[in-house]
Structure formats: structure tokens, C-alpha cells
């Protein structure tokens, strides 16, 4: 079976990778300096010019770029290619402020799709597969990215987009879908619907490629068990192209970053200082091959750890851990840092499913944290005494994990709205 989509790149020696990165970075810095006045100004403010950047070891001299820069420069301010050479835009789903719009030349689309193709092959995909894509299509990058990757691999591609679960299941059964691409929360919902309709034996899925939102190891095991598949993580963001910046291999332990296209750094989110390998911090990307929208030192706000330990799959590209939350949507409740992923871990460990909502509020100047969790078909009870007992169990498990009290409210199965895209897990009423 084919193990890599581009073996000579995916298994290149570290020396070769560094040589590519050095050469491409120097070229890219010159490109943005020449083409993007916004960048030139930022670099001048920091006292850096293209001559100062001779390779990856000089990367730290460049200024950071943040989402605020992208909003300031909206829509064309960071465009580095003539508009007539651009063939596509995609955009973030941001509901507040200005949207972020990313531009692609045909070359950019091709490279992006190749990155997604690498992810599909790493999950076992070949031209024999039926790849069922139910990430949203449109401005969101999930559908178009995996769709393009699936074409490149040669899979029969089902451009389902999200929603209409009955139709999803009908095609999945009738066309014998083998690879499922969607958010992990939608995969969990599909799994639930498959069981409810008694379709488990009619499903031919073997693998899933899930990303676009945080999901825990426990959720992975649940999805794998209920669908009988291997579930692989995929990471990316609109600003750097979309899904496929990093993807999991057969080890299912960290995602290989496509280092021939992106240079990754980990920084201290408060000071901006570059941290040594193995440290936990904010992930920063520099895209070294994009023509239309090349971001230098873009702060993702995602918190993770990088590792260059050799991987048994043979790929040499650095691995990032699953994002452990975002430096900006990390909740601070009563002064304590709370990541929704910690709450999810507790719920799944205690036998619940990932159907929950976290509500943070402020009552009489004091923060409150409430976790609404669905009972499952297995642990459902309508006895008040039993429910109180179950809630108490969760309260103490959450206290042990978070160090603070969270009120728990158990609700009946299927009362929390299901998501077809990214799940809305947190309602922070304090900001309203
Ligand atoms: O979510 C791109 C994508 C589509 C990735 C499909 C994977 C699959 P945005 O909407 O711009 O792009 O959101 C990017 O989503 O900064 C992370 O905070 C989060 N995210 C993406 N993938 C993962 C993942 C797409 N595997 C933001 N695990 C990123 C955790 C993820 N968080």
C-alpha cells in the first residue's frame, strides 16, 4: 500500500528540509518586502531588511503578524500577488469584527491540495477509496481543502458538505464511503445517528480525518469504537491555507507539520520569546511557498508542543501535539486557567459523551462555571436522587482536574443542540 503521497519530501533528511526552508524563507522575505507595503512598514519599524534574513536562524528577527494585522489590512492589504493571478478566496467563520480573507493563486491551491492529499494517504487513502467530505463547503476551508486533496489522491470524492444527516447516511451506505472527513463533533453525531438507525453493519468506513476544533484522546477512542474506524487528526487555519498544515500518521501521536511549506516556532504568548523544542507555548507559522497570501511569523494563538523525535512512520517532518486550547479562548474563571478540553476529558472519562456546553457567568462580581452535560442512553435516569448523585460525581472529578468548583447540570439525552460544523462549547456571558 502507498504510504506517502510525496515520499521524497515527506521523508527528506533534516538537512535537506533545512536547506529548502533556508532558501525559500530568504526568497519569501524578499517577495513580501517588494510586494506588500504593509510588511515593509512593519519590518522597517523593527529595523529589519531582507538582507538581515539569511536563513531560518534569522527568523526571530522578523516582526510577528497577528489576526489584528489581518483585520487592519482587510481586504487587500496583505496581498502579495497581482489580483489577476489570484483564483480563489476563502474566509474565516469569525462572527465578530472583520472577517479574515485569504487569497490563493493556482499554485497556492495546488500546494494546499497536496498537503491535504498527504493527510489522506497517511490515513490509508488510495484511489480505491470513497472519500466522504462533510466539512462545510464555501468560504470555510474544510470542504474545499479535503475535496482537493481527495481528487489528487484519486479517491472517488463525495462533496457532501455539512448537514442533512439522513442524506449523509444514505450516500454513506449506498456508495460505501470508506473515509470520512468532518469535524470530530459531527463524526460523533453521525456515529450516534448510525447506531439509532441500526446502520452499523451497512457502513464500510475504515478511517476518519477529523479536525477544525479541539478534541480529546477519549473522544477519539469513542468515535473509533462506535464507527469501527481509525480516527486521524488534521490541523490548519484559513490564514495559512486551511486544513493540511499538519496531519496525523499511523502513530496517531502528534501531527506532522508540512515543513517544506511552513516553518513552525513555539513562543511564549506573553513575551514573544522563542522557546526551545519540547516547550509548551503558542504556535507561530511562516509560510514559505505561498504566492498570494504569504504570512511571516503568524501568531496562531494555538497552544501546543513541537517534537522532532523520529517517527516510526518514516516521516521526518516535525510533529505538533494536539492543540491544548487557544491562548485567547482559554477561559479564566476565578483567576484559574480553564481549557474546555480539560472538561471534555473528565466527562468522557466518567462515561459521558462529548455532548456538553460550558456556561461562564458573573454573579455578584464572582465568576460562575456551569457545565451542562447530556446523560447517555446507558446512564440515563429520571430519579432525582440518582441524578443528584451523578452530578456530585462529576463535580468532584471536575474539581480534581480544574482546581475550582463547577456546577454540573445533567440534562436528558439529545437536548443539547448538535453541530454540523465546529461545535459551540462555551457560552461566556461575562462578555455580553
Ligand atoms: O478550521 C481549517 C480546518 C478545516 C482544519 C478542516 C482542519 C480540518 P479556521 O476556521 O480558520 O480553519 O480555524 C482555525 O481552528 O487556529 C485552531 O484553533 C482550530 N483547529 C483547527 N484544526 C484543529 C485541530 C480551520 N485538529 C482554528 N485540533 C485553529 C484543534 C484545531 N483545533
Amino acid at each position: 500500500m502507498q504510504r506517502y503521497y510525496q515520499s521524497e519530501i515527506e521523508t527528506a533528511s533534516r538537512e535537506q528540509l533545512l536547506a529548502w526552508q533556508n532558501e525559500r524563507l530568504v526568497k519569501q522575505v524578499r517577495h513580501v518586502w517588494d510586494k506588500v507595503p504593509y510588511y515593509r512598514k512593519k519590518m522597517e519599524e523593527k529595523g529589519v531588511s531582507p538582507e538581515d534574513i539569511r536563513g531560518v536562524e534569522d527568523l526571530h528577527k522578523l516582526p510577528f503578524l497577528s489576526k489584528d494585522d489581518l483585520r487592519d489590512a482587510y481586504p487587500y492589504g496583505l496581498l502579495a500577488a497581482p489580483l489577476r493571478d489570484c483564483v480563489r478566496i476563502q474566509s474565516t467563520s469569525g462572527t465578530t469584527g472583520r472577517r479574515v480573507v485569504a487569497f490563493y493563486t493556482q499554485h497556492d491551491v495546488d500546494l494546499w491540495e497536496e498537503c491535504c492529499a498527504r493527510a489522506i494517504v497517511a490515513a490509508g487513502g488510495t484511489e480505491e477509496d470513497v472519500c466522504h467530505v462533510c466539512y462545510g463547503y464555501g468560504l470555510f476551508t474544510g470542504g474545499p481543502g479535503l475535496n482537493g486533496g481527495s481528487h489528487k489522491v484519486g479517491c472517488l470524492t463525495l462533496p457532501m458538505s455539512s448537514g442533512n444527516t439522513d442524506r449523509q447516511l444514505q450516500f454513506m451506505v449506498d456508495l460505501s464511503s470508506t473515509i470520512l472527513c468532518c469535524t470530530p463533533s459531527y463524526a460523533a453525531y453521525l456515529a450516534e445517528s448510525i447506531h439509532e438507525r441500526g446502520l452499523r453493519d451497512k457502513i464500510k468506513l475504515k478511517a476518519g480525518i477529523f479536525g477544525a476544533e479541539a478534541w480529546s484522546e477519549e473522544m477519539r477512542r469513542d468515535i473509533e469504537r462506535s464507527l469501527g474506524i481509525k480516527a486521524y487528526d488534521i490541523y490548519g487555519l484559513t490564514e495559512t491555507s486551511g486544513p493540511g498544515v499538519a496531519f496525523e500518521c499511523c502513530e496517531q501521536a502528534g501531527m506532522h507539520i508540512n515543513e517544506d511549506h511552513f516553518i513552525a516556532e513555539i513562543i511564549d504568548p506573553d513575551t514573544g520569546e522563542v522557546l526551545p523544542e519540547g516547550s509548551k507555548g503558542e504556535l507561530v507559522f511562516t509560510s514559505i511557498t505561498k504566492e498570494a497570501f504569504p504570512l511571516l511569523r503568524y501568531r496562531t494563538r494555538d497552544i501546543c508542543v513541537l517534537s522532532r523525535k523520529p517517527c516510526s512512520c518514516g516521516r521526518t517532518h516535525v510533529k505538533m501535539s494536539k492543540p491544548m486550547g487557544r491562548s485567547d479562548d482559554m477561559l479564566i474563571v476565578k483567576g484559574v486557567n480553564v481549557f474546555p478540553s480539560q472538561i471534555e476529558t473528565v466527562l468522557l472519562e466518567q462515561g459521558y459523551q462529548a455532548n456538553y456546553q460550558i456556561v461562564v457567568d458573573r454573579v455578584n462580581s464572582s465568576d460562575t462555571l456551569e457545565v451542562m452535560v447530556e446523560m447517555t442512553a446507558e446512564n440515563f435516569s429520571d430519579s432525582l436522587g440518582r441524578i443528584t448523585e451523578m452530578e456530585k460525581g462529576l463535580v468532584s472529578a471536575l474539581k480534581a482536574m480544574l482546581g475550582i468548583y463547577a456546577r454540573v447540570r445533567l440534562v436528558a439525552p439529545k437536548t443539547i443542540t448538535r453541530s454540523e460544523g465546529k461545535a459551540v462549547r462555551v457560552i461566556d456571558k461575562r462578555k455580553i
Side-chain angles (χ1 to χ4, degrees):
M1 196 175 69
Q2 189 186 357
R3 293 182 60 202
Y4 314 106
Y5 180 66
Q6 290 163 312
S7 61
E8 66 295 351
I9 299 172
E10 294 176 65
T11 64
S13 67
R14 294 291 321 160
E15 294 72 35
Q16 176 62 73
L17 275 171
L18 186 61
W20 283 330
Q21 289 188 334
N22 285 335
E23 186 199 322
R24 292 171 186 180
L25 176 66
V26 169
K27 222 170 114 198
Q28 192 68 290
V29 171
R30 171 57 69 186
H31 176 61
V32 299
W33 172 272
D34 289 344
K35 298 285 176 349
V36 188
Y38 191 96
Y39 261 118
R40 185 189 282 238
K41 183 158 169 281
K42 276 197 80 117
M43 285 172 65
E44 280 169 349
E45 278 166 8
K46 210 165 178 239
V48 208
S49 64
E51 296 73 49
D52 298 319
I53 311 298
R54 281 150 312 186
V56 177
E57 77 279 5
D58 295 323
L59 189 60
H60 66 97
K61 296 178 183 163
L62 291 168
F64 289 117
L65 202 74
S66 69
K67 205 160 197 142
D68 288 339
D69 287 302
L70 269 58
R71 290 190 176 126
D72 280 354
Y74 173 91
Y76 295 125
L78 287 169
L79 191 62
L83 212 47
R84 66 170 178 280
D85 293 344
C86 296
V87 297
R88 175 93 70 81
I89 68 150
Q90 303 285 163
S91 176
T92 55
S93 49
T95 47
T96 54
R98 288 169 167 174
R99 280 175 170 273
V100 168
V101 177
F103 298 83
Y104 306 69
T105 61
Q106 186 57 51
H107 158 94
D108 296 336
V109 173
D110 285 338
L111 296 186
W112 172 29
E113 292 180 352
E114 278 174 14
C115 287
C116 290
R118 290 181 195 175
I120 293 171
V121 172
T126 70
E127 57 198 12
E128 306 295 332
D129 280 294
V130 178
C131 186
H132 188 114
V133 184
C134 39
Y135 284 113
Y137 280 64
L139 288 171
F140 179 56
T141 53
L146 270 307
N147 191 91
S150 172
H151 277 216
K152 291 235 184 263
V153 176
C155 305
L156 174 65
T157 310
L158 272 53
M160 300 299 301
S161 198
S162 54
N164 201 337
T165 301
D166 281 318
R167 189 179 57 191
Q168 301 280 1
L169 298 183
Q170 189 187 344
F171 274 106
M172 199 177 279
V173 170
D174 294 349
L175 296 170
S176 301
S177 305
T178 53
I179 298 179
L180 176 64
C181 304
C182 59
T183 56
S185 47
Y186 194 48
Y189 179 50
L190 284 173
E192 191 178 84
S193 310
I194 286 166
H195 283 270
E196 271 169 18
R197 291 164 177 73
L199 294 174
R200 179 66 183 79
D201 294 340
K202 299 203 166 81
I203 296 292
K204 300 283 183 302
L205 290 176
K206 63 175 191 188
I209 303 177
F210 307 133
E213 63 184 4
W215 54 309
S216 56
E217 282 303 326
E218 292 77 10
M219 188 163 174
R220 185 208 303 270
R221 282 195 288 278
D222 269 7
I223 296 174
E224 288 193 330
R225 199 174 330 108
S226 59
L227 288 175
I229 62 171
K230 289 272 250 174
Y232 298 89
D233 205 349
I234 184 166
Y235 170 89
L237 52 161
T238 315
E239 296 89 317
T240 56
S241 60
V245 171
F247 59 91
E248 266 184 351
C249 61
C250 53
E251 267 202 359
Q252 293 179 297
M255 294 176 268
H256 290 284
I257 295 174
N258 283 310
E259 283 191 283
D260 50 326
H261 299 304
F262 304 100
I263 304 177
E265 299 170 276
I266 291 288
I267 63 161
D268 178 324
D270 298 322
T271 64
E273 182 202 350
V274 179
L275 300 177
E277 186 181 324
S279 315
K280 182 165 148 187
E282 182 180 340
L283 186 58
V284 171
F285 281 119
T286 297
S287 49
I288 48 177
T289 49
K290 286 186 71 180
E291 292 177 342
F293 202 65
L295 302 186
L296 304 182
R297 300 199 88 201
Y298 182 67
R299 293 186 60 160
T300 64
R301 298 283 169 192
D302 291 318
I303 302 292
C304 74
V305 176
L306 296 181
S307 161
R308 287 205 170 74
K309 284 203 198 88
C311 184
S312 63
C313 77
R315 287 178 184 78
T316 48
H317 296 211
V318 68
K319 276 174 156 181
M320 61 180 271
S321 65
K322 269 179 178 298
M324 301 157 184
R326 287 175 57 81
S327 62
D328 55 357
D329 70 19
M330 172 182 79
L331 295 163
I332 302 184
V333 184
K334 296 179 185 153
V336 175
N337 295 351
V338 173
F339 286 104
S341 57
Q342 295 174 298
I343 294 179
E344 183 175 306
T345 298
V346 169
L347 300 181
L348 292 167
E349 270 171 10
Q350 301 287 317
Y352 294 84
Q353 281 162 355
N355 296 319
Y356 64 95
Q357 209 152 46
I358 301 164
V359 184
V360 190
D361 206 347
R362 187 157 291 160
V363 180
N364 300 330
S365 318
S366 175
D367 290 338
T368 60
L369 175 64
E370 181 180 60
V371 184
M372 254 181 6
V373 194
E374 275 186 11
M375 288 178 271
T376 63
E378 291 74 39
N379 66 21
F380 176 76
S381 167
D382 53 8
S383 137
L384 209 55
R386 174 73 193 126
I387 291 178
T388 310
E389 199 182 306
M390 287 161 69
E391 287 176 343
K392 275 192 186 152
L394 277 179
V395 168
S396 65
L398 285 168
K399 178 99 199 280
M401 170 67 98
L402 307 173
I404 54 169
Y405 169 75
R407 184 175 168 218
V408 171
R409 197 144 57 89
L410 286 178
V411 296
K414 309 210 190 310
T415 44
I416 294 177
T417 316
R418 298 294 188 266
S419 126
E420 291 165 355
K422 298 188 194 222
V424 181
R425 304 279 195 214
V426 180
I427 300 172
D428 194 341
K429 296 188 174 166
R430 295 173 301 179
K431 288 180 195 145
I432 298 167

